[in-house]
Amino acid sequence: MLKALIVDDERLVRKGLISTMPWEKYEILIIGDVGNGRAALEFMEQHPIDLLFVDLTMPTMSGFELMKAVRIQHPRTSLVVLTCHQDFHYIQEAMRAGAIDYVVKTQLDKENMDDILCRIVQRIEFEQANQTSSRPLSHPNADERTQMLIVARNPLAMDHVYTDLQRAGIHSITAMGENVWSLTSTVQESVIRQFIAETNEFVLLQVYGHKQPSVSALRRYLFYEYEPHRKVYDVLLPAPPEDKKTDKDRIILDEMWFSFHWLHEDNAWNNLGAFIERTKPGTPQLQDMLRELLWLWRELFPVGELDVNEEDSMSVGTWQEFKACIHEIRSRIRSRMKQLDYFDEIIISVMKALHIMRKLEDLHVNRDMIAAKINMSSGYFSECFKEITGKTFGEYMKGLQINKAKTLLETTAYPIYRIAELSGYKDDKYFSKIFRERVGTGPTEYRKACERSGSNL
């Protein structure tokens, strides 16, 4: 049983959580509830706690202050924040402070209580397994060596890095790329560890058994294994996966993601997270999937519906931050779907259709072909597509075709008849007419304008 403590300054909230959540089902035992951070620390001195639920806005000691103290005094305790806030930046700050998950108190109902507790328990089990698998090697083989690496949390360039390292007395370093530096044996270990202890921007990786680990492997490792306030990692990187296995995992993940079932089915959501944590795909794939999801959703509804900053979403530095970001986007999408007069499956089917159409190489398609791919009747698909997207299928396809034509005019020297064909038009004269109606200029004039613009750069 996981022993848990609830910390919230509202007594009714504490009692409500204790009485309504299905704790026993997930082998969680609530052994106490207190009203402020100081009382929580006193309680934890007398009782071992595995799981702490923390309200972020409390008098005397804020939730963030309590979390910081717990991470130092009780580093094995898992933290889950209780909040009324749904702001992504607020949630992201909580995750960076060490939370493994968060609970929005205003969204607690019977439908998602199981989802919340299942997610929390899975995360704790994952961390426990990770701690076991990433223990330092006490007896490395004779042909293995330890490589000391300083790694910045952010892979993007940082102007002050070398100044910081030199000021700390660390001079003998070799840049490996993406803010990863290899340290030579001439640098004293005590100097390295002091520098790491005094900064929140860098961590120390002690890598065993690999003479030259790749930067991408190191970055992937830190993305999934990073823990707030943990400064030193003992790493035994596994052998590179077989190409066939990597390709298979990529295909499976694409199928799971672009089925979109996880948007409205809790089991599919949990399975998606578990698969990512097990296979550990590279961050570029995760970012591409998220970027496509945001694009699809904004095709369905006006810009601003999600109220999510795409740049912030793409810059998260750890899996837990990325998962929190996806969870927040999922919650907003689900909320918006409930406002429509269509079943979730119908909305998901239209999203699938948009995804299929966006990926088409050959734009010589019609409504019947797309409807068949998503197992809908042509007439009903046409009706749903127009009601949900605000455009007829024909209008939407023309937009895709013209956008492809513009790209080809900007990036190739193909003749106009060839561009018309590649854009889904059999008649280049009809294509030119539609292009002029949509863009305001003919394809030849558009290409010349692009060439003049490029030459002036």
Side-chain angles (χ1 to χ4, degrees):
M1 295 285 285
L2 292 171
K3 296 179 180 178
L5 172 67
I6 296 177
V7 189
D8 195 299
D9 60 325
E10 296 183 44
R11 182 176 179 275
L12 291 179
V13 171
R14 303 199 306 270
K15 299 306 178 185
L17 287 172
I18 293 172
S19 62
T20 59
M21 299 283 276
W23 304 105
E24 292 185 3
K25 180 178 178 180
Y26 295 94
E27 297 187 348
I28 299 174
L29 177 64
I30 306 298
I31 66 170
D33 63 283
V34 296
N36 60 68
R38 289 182 182 174
L41 292 175
E42 292 174 1
F43 187 95
M44 294 178 72
E45 288 297 325
Q46 304 298 322
H47 307 86
I49 296 295
D50 302 303
L51 179 59
L52 189 67
F53 290 84
V54 184
D55 181 25
L56 289 180
T57 54
M58 296 185 294
T60 308
M61 176 184 283
S62 73
F64 286 108
E65 292 173 328
L66 174 59
M67 291 168 68
K68 183 177 180 180
V70 169
R71 294 297 295 182
I72 296 173
Q73 300 176 29
H74 307 278
R76 295 185 178 275
T77 300
S78 298
L79 301 166
V80 175
V81 299
L82 303 170
T83 178
C84 293
H85 298 270
Q86 291 180 272
D87 181 79
F88 169 61
H89 296 285
Y90 201 73
I91 294 168
Q92 189 179 48
E93 185 179 355
M95 302 302 284
R96 285 175 174 166
I100 63 169
D101 213 319
Y102 67 97
V103 176
V104 180
K105 291 185 282 186
T106 56
Q107 293 184 349
L108 277 178
D109 54 48
K110 290 183 179 180
E111 293 182 359
N112 60 19
M113 286 180 183
D114 275 283
D115 182 29
I116 291 169
L117 293 184
C118 178
R119 194 172 65 232
I120 290 169
V121 170
Q122 285 182 340
R123 175 57 188 169
I124 292 173
E125 291 175 349
F126 171 75
E127 287 194 340
Q128 289 174 344
N130 174 54
Q131 289 171 2
T132 301
S133 63
S134 60
R135 287 174 182 168
L137 302 177
S138 55
H139 299 288
N141 295 331
D143 60 344
E144 295 179 344
R145 64 170 182 167
T146 304
Q147 186 169 359
M148 308 286 279
L149 304 170
I150 286 182
V151 182
R153 277 201 60 201
N154 191 336
L156 301 179
M158 301 166 64
D159 295 335
H160 59 86
V161 168
Y162 285 100
T163 302
D164 291 347
L165 293 172
Q166 290 176 3
R167 187 181 296 118
I170 303 173
H171 304 285
S172 301
I173 58 175
T174 301
M176 298 175 62
E178 296 187 32
N179 281 348
V180 178
W181 296 271
S182 175
L183 299 164
T184 68
S185 57
T186 60
V187 182
Q188 292 184 358
E189 186 173 336
S190 60
V191 174
I192 300 170
R193 291 185 179 276
Q194 182 177 351
F195 170 73
I196 293 297
E198 294 174 349
T199 179
N200 292 319
E201 294 182 327
F202 303 90
V203 296
L204 176 64
L205 267 57
Q206 300 179 136
V207 183
Y208 297 90
H210 282 66
K211 293 183 178 180
Q212 189 60 48
S214 70
V215 172
S216 61
L218 294 168
R219 275 291 167 199
R220 183 179 299 192
Y221 171 88
L222 199 58
F223 179 81
Y224 288 100
E225 310 301 339
Y226 177 81
E227 299 176 12
H229 308 296
R230 182 180 174 189
K231 300 298 185 69
V232 181
Y233 295 77
D234 293 281
V235 185
L236 177 58
L237 292 176
E242 297 178 6
D243 290 341
K244 290 183 179 179
K245 181 180 183 301
T246 302
D247 291 342
K248 182 179 179 181
D249 288 343
R250 177 183 289 274
I251 292 170
I252 292 173
L253 180 55
D254 270 350
E255 291 175 350
M256 293 176 72
W257 183 274
F258 292 113
S259 74
F260 300 119
H261 292 310
W262 58 272
L263 286 173
H264 65 105
E265 295 178 6
D266 292 339
N267 285 339
W269 165 251
N270 292 331
N271 290 338
L272 175 69
F275 184 82
I276 292 174
E277 290 173 356
R278 179 169 62 83
T279 60
K280 295 179 172 54
T283 53
Q285 183 181 3
L286 297 179
Q287 291 172 338
D288 287 345
M289 294 189 309
L290 176 56
R291 191 176 289 109
E292 179 71 5
L293 174 66
L294 294 176
W295 182 89
L296 288 169
W297 191 252
R298 285 164 178 157
E299 287 294 288
L300 289 178
F301 297 101
V303 174
E305 280 287 345
L306 286 178
D307 191 27
V308 172
N309 187 309
E310 185 169 335
E311 184 177 341
D312 289 343
S313 301
M314 297 301 164
S315 64
V316 292
T318 70
W319 161 239
Q320 285 308 307
E321 292 173 353
F322 190 88
K323 189 176 181 181
C325 170
I326 296 297
H327 185 272
E328 178 64 17
I329 292 172
R330 176 179 184 257
S331 296
R332 297 186 186 190
I333 290 177
R334 289 177 64 164
S335 176
R336 187 66 179 87
M337 289 171 68
K338 290 178 181 178
Q339 300 173 21
L340 299 177
D341 293 329
Y342 287 93
F343 292 116
D344 291 344
E345 283 292 349
I346 299 300
I347 303 170
I348 294 301
S349 293
V350 174
M351 288 185 72
K352 289 179 182 177
L354 291 174
H355 177 61
I356 291 169
M357 293 160 69
R358 177 171 160 87
K359 298 299 180 183
L360 287 173
E361 289 294 330
D362 183 358
L363 294 181
H364 291 90
V365 296
N366 57 40
R367 179 191 65 184
D368 296 347
M369 299 164 96
I370 300 299
K373 286 182 177 292
I374 59 173
N375 298 316
M376 289 181 70
S377 68
S378 181
Y380 188 53
F381 167 67
S382 180
E383 175 189 331
C384 295
F385 189 94
K386 182 177 180 180
E387 287 294 322
I388 293 174
T389 67
K391 299 178 182 178
T392 67
F393 177 84
E395 289 173 343
Y396 192 85
M397 274 304 301
K398 282 183 180 178
L400 289 180
Q401 291 168 336
I402 295 302
N403 285 337
K404 181 168 185 178
K406 289 166 70 174
T407 299
L408 292 172
L409 287 166
E410 294 167 7
T411 60
T412 75
Y414 292 154
I416 301 301
Y417 74 86
R418 178 60 175 155
I419 289 178
E421 183 182 0
L422 292 172
S423 301
Y425 291 86
K426 295 180 180 179
D427 185 337
D428 60 303
K429 291 182 179 179
Y430 180 66
F431 160 71
S432 296
K433 176 185 175 183
I434 297 298
F435 190 93
R436 184 178 294 277
E437 290 175 357
R438 293 261 174 169
V439 182
T441 183
T444 301
E445 292 86 349
Y446 182 85
R447 171 176 274 168
K448 289 180 179 178
C450 292
E451 291 172 351
R452 289 195 297 270
S453 176
S455 64
N456 291 333
L457 292 178

